[in-house]
Amino acid sequence: MPKLSDRVHTFTDSVIRRMTRISNEHGAINLSQGFPDFDPPREITDALAKAAKEGPHQYSITFGAQNFREALAAKQERAFGYPVDPNNEIVITCGGTEAMMCAMMTICNPGDKVIVFSPFYENYGADAILSGAQPIYVPLVPPTFDFDINLVEEGFKQGAKAIIVCNPSNPCGKVFTREELMAIGELAVKYDAFVVTDEVYEHMVYAPMHHTCMASLPGMRNHTITCNSLSKTYSITGWRLGYLIGPAEVIENAKKVHDFLTVGAAAPLQEAATVGLKFPQKYYDDLLELYTEKRDYFLAGLDKAGLEHNVPQGTYFVLVDISKFLALPQFEGKTDLEFCEWMIKNIGVAAVPGSSFFKEEVNHLIRLHFAREKSTLDEALSRLAKLQDLLK
Ligand code: GLN
């Protein structure tokens, strides 16, 4: 067998996606990989049926169908507070995953440094490796997940080309305040670096917090590459529709990277999802209300089940502390991954081991999500409550 590239040996498969596969094998309730178990809005699926009959079925323009980009630009203008040029400042990608990879490949040379907050969304590690960048980690310190801005500046002093800001933050649910973003932005400007944001949970920010787009802050338009996706906002994770928004010169080059990586996102799906991009504000208000209810309900259920957890300010993820179970003799020496595998088989609920999100040695956290119908959450909570039996 001829040798494979060195690159592929430097990272593992995604633990998030692996947990979904193991969960499916064992018929567990899957609260690991974050995606909803409820349908997308009817208007979008109706539009998909129409697209199936009437098209388009051939390639869209490589950087996104014109009507899709125009609808997105209009939505984004409301978020940024200034007009976005649909022709020169947007690339439509195959999911937020490609958007982030495309941003990294557009701005990084091999060996360039990129600041990443830890905990971080798993993909950023592989994104860095595949784009040749070297991460400099800055901790978000539990329980509040605050960070030391001096450490961010240290990273820039070491020559970091960019900083990745996942806001709201997967997996810890932190929502960066306007002041925090301003402080990061000022440093990016001072050291002439980019801020690459991942804002896929922008519409899941719970009161009293609210979402601030980095690109909307004074002076940040030319320093920010906003990555996002329709997956979570419209409950269409399988459609793989994402996008990058940035300054024209960045986007002109990101278009080339995207073109040769994937040519384009699925044309009929862009056509159907355009309907969603045109939804009025009420849609987003209702979505937030739905997730606020789910969050409060699920967290109350965890409390009742005697499980310690953080209180996410945004996203649909929650970190649960499993220290007291790992201290039991039967789990001696076990990792959080082994605990999650045990939990799938014996409790019937799948979670993601926290270690897959942290640079630091962390073995006592697991991530659950609550993007599930209430009946599914009820069943998951009653199964999780059985963990207490271990302590008896
Ligand atoms: N962001 C989701 C999660 O963290 C999953 C995204 C994905 O698997 N592409 O679970």
Side-chain angles (χ1 to χ4, degrees), residues 14 16-17 32-35 97 121-123 170 200-201 232 237 240 316-317 352 357 367 369:
S14 151
I16 298 177
R17 270 80 82 184
S32 63
Q33 186 182 23
F35 59 89
T97 297
Y121 172 48
E122 206 192 12
N123 278 38
N170 178 7
V200 305
Y201 301 97
K232 274 73 186 189
T237 61
R240 315 308 305 126
Y316 47 48
F317 300 112
V352 183
F357 305 106
R367 192 195 75 176
H369 80 84

Side-chain angles (χ1 to χ4, degrees), residues 170-190:
N170 178 7
C172 67
K174 175 187 175 67
V175 172
F176 287 76
T177 63
R178 190 181 167 87
E179 291 66 35
E180 287 175 323
L181 294 173
M182 299 257 280
I184 295 168
E186 271 167 29
L187 290 176
V189 172
K190 178 172 168 190

Side-chain angles (χ1 to χ4, degrees), residues 117-121 139-146 166-176 201 206 295 309-320 354 357-358 365-368:
F117 287 109
S118 170
F120 54 89
Y121 172 48
L140 295 174
V141 185
T144 51
F145 298 101
D146 289 335
C166 183
N167 183 33
S169 193
N170 178 7
C172 67
K174 175 187 175 67
V175 172
F176 287 76
Y201 301 97
Y206 308 110
R295 180 190 75 148
H309 57 83
N310 70 327
V311 177
Q313 298 172 318
T315 75
Y316 47 48
F317 300 112
V318 54
L319 293 170
V320 171
F357 305 106
F358 283 84
L365 297 172
I366 60 173
R367 192 195 75 176
L368 296 168

